[in-house]
Amino acid sequence: MSDRLAVLPQYLLPKQALTTLAGKFASARLGGLTTSVIRRFVARYNVNMAEAANPDVASYASFNDFFTRALQPGARPLAMADMICPVDGAISQFGPIDKDQVFQAKGHTYSTTALVGGDAAAAARFDNGHFATLYLSPRDYHRIHMPCAGELTRMVHVPGDLFSVNPTTARGVPGLFARNERVVCFFESAQGPFVLVLVGATIVGSMATVWHGQINPPRTGTLRQWDYAKGQIQLQQGEEMGRFLLGSTVVMLFPKGPLQFNPQWAPARGIQLGEAMAQRVPV
């Protein structure tokens, strides 16, 4: 079966309604039912609870509490690198941006302007730069951390579709990451500007950042933007910046320059928070 045919049912599903329903269930405190669902989830996806700060599944009041669980201190040591991997998951794609086109999968690209919500001037800063797209599966740790120290300048919530973001869908839905709902965070750093995008998906009940809290819902259907004063939000490398309530994808944009990705990286390779992602190579 072709990838396009495989994703056809997603065009027909009531994705918004399913996501709303899943979000309500995930936040509900249902006692034994919640614990039973968590136990089944852990078994189904082989979740490693030994590395969780709280490994007792019966102690989580809601599925969201379990899903956004913290890790034990030291579970993810930070590599000595200019850019570290910000999440646990798997590599979808990474590499150079072709002028303003980001590679999604064979036969599919999308523009940086579309990704960031239509701001062509902001997107132009990343022409011929670099990108990385990282997929978080259901079994993964779902907090997102900073690849390097940075200062937040702007955040944009872009309304959009709620397609799945698994590899099959990435191959079958054109412009997937620039058409799904997303939260776009603009940072300035010693390495230059960068963008970190949290991409929503089917049954992703909400996305949140440490400085704002829950961003969606509400889903107003209109683009929302927040600007931050110089020095207002500063985060260190490895510090938590946000989280998904149910799994999704992170896309990062970096400007043109001599950025060298970890030579061990390859599409579909598993990754962990804190491992070396990239270095700025002196010219």
Side-chain angles (χ1 to χ4, degrees), residues 35-91:
T35 300
S36 178
V37 170
I38 294 172
R39 290 190 191 281
R40 287 176 178 271
F41 188 93
V42 169
R44 169 68 177 81
Y45 291 104
N46 193 28
V47 178
N48 182 8
M49 292 302 294
E51 64 184 13
N54 177 8
D56 181 9
V57 297
S59 68
Y60 291 100
S62 72
F63 188 83
N64 277 344
D65 290 345
F66 154 74
F67 201 78
T68 59
R69 63 195 177 277
L71 296 177
Q72 292 182 7
R76 296 291 184 272
L78 305 185
M80 295 292 291
D82 292 333
M83 301 283 180
I84 61 167
C85 182
V87 295
D88 283 4
I91 299 165

Side-chain angles (χ1 to χ4, degrees), residues 34-176:
T34 293
T35 300
S36 178
V37 170
I38 294 172
R39 290 190 191 281
R40 287 176 178 271
F41 188 93
V42 169
R44 169 68 177 81
Y45 291 104
N46 193 28
V47 178
N48 182 8
M49 292 302 294
E51 64 184 13
N54 177 8
D56 181 9
V57 297
S59 68
Y60 291 100
S62 72
F63 188 83
N64 277 344
D65 290 345
F66 154 74
F67 201 78
T68 59
R69 63 195 177 277
L71 296 177
Q72 292 182 7
R76 296 291 184 272
L78 305 185
M80 295 292 291
D82 292 333
M83 301 283 180
I84 61 167
C85 182
V87 295
D88 283 4
I91 299 165
S92 178
Q93 300 290 341
F94 69 100
I97 298 169
D98 184 5
K99 194 177 184 304
D100 67 343
Q101 293 295 302
V102 179
F103 180 67
Q104 176 176 299
K106 185 177 180 180
H108 299 305
T109 63
Y110 57 89
S111 75
T112 54
T113 298
L115 179 69
V116 303
D119 188 334
R125 301 183 75 186
F126 304 97
D127 283 358
N128 297 307
H130 312 268
F131 80 97
T133 304
L134 310 177
Y135 169 66
L136 289 73
S137 74
R139 72 183 299 272
D140 291 318
Y141 169 67
H142 277 82
R143 299 190 185 191
I144 305 145
H145 295 246
M146 292 291 287
C148 63
E151 180 174 318
L152 182 71
T153 60
R154 184 156 55 109
M155 180 173 73
V156 182
H157 174 234
V158 186
D161 291 323
L162 291 168
F163 286 97
S164 170
V165 290
N166 62 37
T168 299
T169 311
R171 293 190 300 268
V173 176
L176 173 65

Side-chain angles (χ1 to χ4, degrees), residues 164-203:
S164 170
V165 290
N166 62 37
T168 299
T169 311
R171 293 190 300 268
V173 176
L176 173 65
F177 304 121
R179 68 191 293 174
N180 266 17
E181 177 184 30
R182 54 207 178 277
V183 175
V184 184
C185 303
F186 294 86
F187 290 95
E188 295 289 337
S189 78
Q191 314 295 333
F194 70 93
V195 171
L196 199 158
V197 183
L198 286 61
V199 182
T202 309
I203 75 168

